[in-house]
Amino acid sequence: MRHMRSGLWARWTAAAVAALTLAGCGLGGAEDSGPPGPAATGGQVTGKVSLQTWALKPKFTAYMEGVIAGFEKKYPGTQVEWLDQPGEGYSEKVLSQSAGGTLPDVVNLPPDFALPLVRQNLLLDIGASDPAASRDYVKGGLDAYRFPGRQGTFGYPWYLNTDVNYWNGELLTAYGLDPRKPPASLDQLVAAARTVKARSGGRTYLMSRKPNLMDLANAGVPIMSPDGRTFTFNTPEAAAVLDTYRAAFKEGLLPKDVLTETYAGNTKLFSSGTAAWTTAGANYITSLAVDNPTLAPKVVPSAPMGTPPLYVQGLSVPKTTRNPAAALALARWVTNAENQAAFAHETSIFPSTTASGTDPFFSRSDGSNAGDAKVLAFRSLSSARVLEPVQANDAIKTLVNQQIALAVSGRTGSKEALDTAAARANRLLED
C-alpha cells in the first residue's frame, strides 16, 4: 500500500509513521482550525497558488473542488490550480519536479517521499513558519514530518489510519477460546494458536504471517540509531522474537508456505476461513462484507497488540514557492478539522487535527462490529507511533524479510540473520 487508499486506502507501510496524541475539544469548523494569516507567514493571502495531490481523481474530484472553492471564497483574490498525479510512479514524479525546480506550491507527500526533499533542504519548516500548528495538529502526525538529524517539521499531517485485530468469533468459540478476550501479546497468541491447531485437527491457523520490522519495533527493539543513520535492530531482544516464531513454525502453528514469495497472505486466509486472525485497517469488515458476506457478521475486532502503527499522508510546502503565505494557508485549509471530517465521511480515513478528537462520527460506534472497529482504531491512534522508519525503503525491507524468513525456517540462527540484515541494510543506506 503505497498510499492510504482502499479506494483511497491500501496498506501503505512505506509511508507509515509516528505516534500521536488526540486531544479533544469538539469538532471545529473551518474557522476553528483555520489557515494561518499574514502574521504566520509575513505576507498577504492572495494570488495564485498550486496544489498537487496523489491519485484523488476522479473519485474525490467533487470533494476537492469543494475544498478549493471554500478556500477561494475565504480569501478573495486567491486562485488555486489543482494538479492531481496518477498513483503509479508518483515518487519519481516528485523527484523529477524537485530536480527541475517545478514543485507546486503545496505538495501531497507521505513522509518517505518527503525525506529526500528534506535532505536537499527543499521544504519549508512549517513549525517555524506556523507555530500554531503544534497546537492544532496531533503530535504524532507532526512527528511524522520530523526527521532524525534535521531540525524542523516539514509537512502538515493530512489524514491518518492504523490497524485493528480481527478475529473469527465463530471459529474461536468452536475451539474453546473467548473472542471477547483475544490474545494481547505474542506469547498469548502462540498459546492460542496451539489450542486452535489441536482442536481443529490442524485445519485452521491462528497465526498466519511471518514477523517483520514492525514486530521487532513492537517488542521494544530500536530499529535505527537516534540520528537515523544506522539500522540497529540486530539485538538479542529481536533475536528472541524470531526464535519464538521459529519455534511456532516448527510446531506447525503457521502455514508451511508462509515464508515463500507465493504466500497468499493472512488476510486472504482469514477471508477464506482458513485463518482465524488477521490485522487490517478500520474499514476491513465493510470490505469483507462484499467479499464474504457470511463471514463479516462473525468477525470480532480488538485493539492492536502492543503499539499500533500509524499511517499518514500530509501536505508540504517547498521553499521554491513564490507565494508562501497562500501556500501555507492552503495547506492549512485542506487539512483543517471540517475538511478532514468531510473527507472521512467519503472514505476510510481519520483526521489529524486535535479538534477532531471528540467528533462522534469517529468516537461513537453504531453498535455494529464495523462501527466498533472504527472506534477501536480511532482510540488506538492516541498511542500509535512509527514502527517502520521511512529510511527502510522497499529494497531494505526486502533483504530484511529474506533474512527473517531464513531465521524462522531454521536455516540460520536468528541473531546471525539479523546481523546480516543490518549490515546489508546499512550498506544500502550509504549508497
Side-chain angles (χ1 to χ4, degrees):
M1 123 175 128
R2 289 299 301 175
H3 59 302
M4 293 190 291
R5 311 209 196 315
S6 71
L8 176 65
W9 184 265
R11 184 130 192 271
W12 157 84
T13 54
V17 284
L20 66 93
T21 301
L22 288 174
C25 55
L27 174 65
E31 299 291 328
D32 295 329
S33 73
T41 62
Q44 186 177 1
V45 181
T46 188
K48 293 183 179 180
V49 62
S50 54
L51 166 66
Q52 178 167 287
T53 56
W54 182 10
L56 294 187
K57 290 183 178 180
K59 186 172 182 180
F60 301 103
T61 296
Y63 166 78
M64 286 302 302
E65 288 178 344
V67 170
I68 289 167
F71 178 79
E72 292 175 342
K73 181 179 179 181
K74 181 175 178 64
Y75 292 104
T78 57
Q79 182 181 349
V80 177
E81 179 187 13
W82 177 31
L83 310 167
D84 187 67
Q85 300 294 343
E88 196 67 31
Y90 183 61
S91 60
E92 291 78 8
K93 176 67 175 179
V94 169
L95 290 175
S96 174
Q97 289 173 321
S98 66
T102 59
L103 283 167
D105 298 297
V106 180
V107 187
N108 178 189
L109 295 175
D112 59 331
F113 291 6
L115 179 59
L117 304 191
V118 171
R119 286 172 170 165
Q120 297 174 62
N121 198 30
L122 293 178
L123 299 181
L124 279 180
D125 173 7
I126 63 113
S129 301
D130 180 10
S134 62
R135 176 198 66 207
D136 296 334
Y137 295 87
V138 295
K139 180 181 182 297
L142 291 168
D143 283 348
Y145 293 91
R146 295 167 178 153
F147 302 98
R150 306 281 171 169
Q151 281 293 115
T153 305
F154 299 98
Y156 291 99
W158 187 0
Y159 51 91
L160 314 173
N161 216 326
T162 188
D163 286 338
V164 174
N165 284 317
Y166 294 100
W167 311 89
N168 186 320
E170 182 179 61
L171 288 180
L172 263 61
T173 301
Y175 302 141
L177 299 171
D178 186 351
R180 297 292 171 181
K181 297 179 180 178
S185 69
L186 178 57
D187 288 341
Q188 291 179 17
L189 183 65
V190 171
R194 189 173 293 120
T195 299
V196 169
K197 181 193 176 186
R199 297 190 179 183
S200 70
R203 295 187 304 275
T204 304
Y205 295 97
L206 192 63
M207 299 172 69
S208 57
R209 67 170 181 81
K210 69 176 184 289
N212 55 33
L213 282 176
M214 290 200 293
D215 294 288
L216 301 185
N218 231 331
V221 173
I223 304 300
M224 296 201 80
S225 60
D227 62 7
R229 295 182 179 181
T230 308
F231 285 102
T232 58
F233 53 77
N234 52 325
T235 68
E237 292 78 11
V241 172
L242 299 194
D243 287 345
T244 298
Y245 273 92
R246 179 170 59 191
F249 182 74
K250 184 177 181 180
E251 195 178 336
L253 303 185
L254 291 92
K256 290 182 180 179
D257 63 344
V258 72
L259 304 179
T260 68
E261 294 297 325
T262 58
Y263 178 59
N266 65 324
T267 302
K268 222 168 224 189
L269 292 185
F270 183 87
S271 179
S272 69
T274 305
W277 166 64
T278 190
T279 59
N283 71 323
Y284 175 66
I285 296 176
T286 302
S287 60
L288 181 64
V290 176
D291 300 332
N292 190 340
T294 303
L295 174 59
K298 304 170 185 175
V299 174
V300 179
S302 73
M305 283 178 261
T307 301
L310 179 66
Y311 310 120
V312 59
Q313 284 281 356
L315 296 178
S316 297
V317 177
K319 287 185 174 181
T320 52
T321 178
R322 296 184 179 181
N323 194 347
L328 287 164
L330 178 59
R332 267 283 204 152
W333 178 265
V334 174
T335 60
N336 71 30
E338 184 178 62
N339 285 327
Q340 288 204 56
F343 202 8
H345 280 264
E346 295 198 21
T347 189
S348 54
I349 57 97
F350 295 109
S352 61
T353 65
T354 54
S356 305
T358 55
D359 180 357
F361 179 76
F362 307 107
S363 60
R364 296 179 193 169
S365 174
D366 60 6
S368 67
N369 57 355
D372 292 345
K374 181 176 69 173
V375 171
L376 280 168
F378 186 59
R379 289 175 179 169
S380 71
L381 290 174
S382 62
S383 58
R385 67 175 179 86
V386 176
L387 294 181
E388 211 168 54
V390 293
Q391 291 90 338
N393 58 29
D394 288 344
I396 287 173
K397 283 187 288 187
T398 295
L399 72 86
V400 171
N401 288 335
Q402 288 170 345
Q403 291 299 315
I404 286 176
L406 289 174
V408 174
S409 70
R411 293 168 61 187
T412 188
S414 296
K415 186 63 165 60
E416 179 186 355
L418 291 168
D419 286 342
T420 300
R424 292 179 181 177
N426 286 328
R427 283 199 292 271
L428 285 179
L429 279 182
E430 295 169 0
D431 291 343

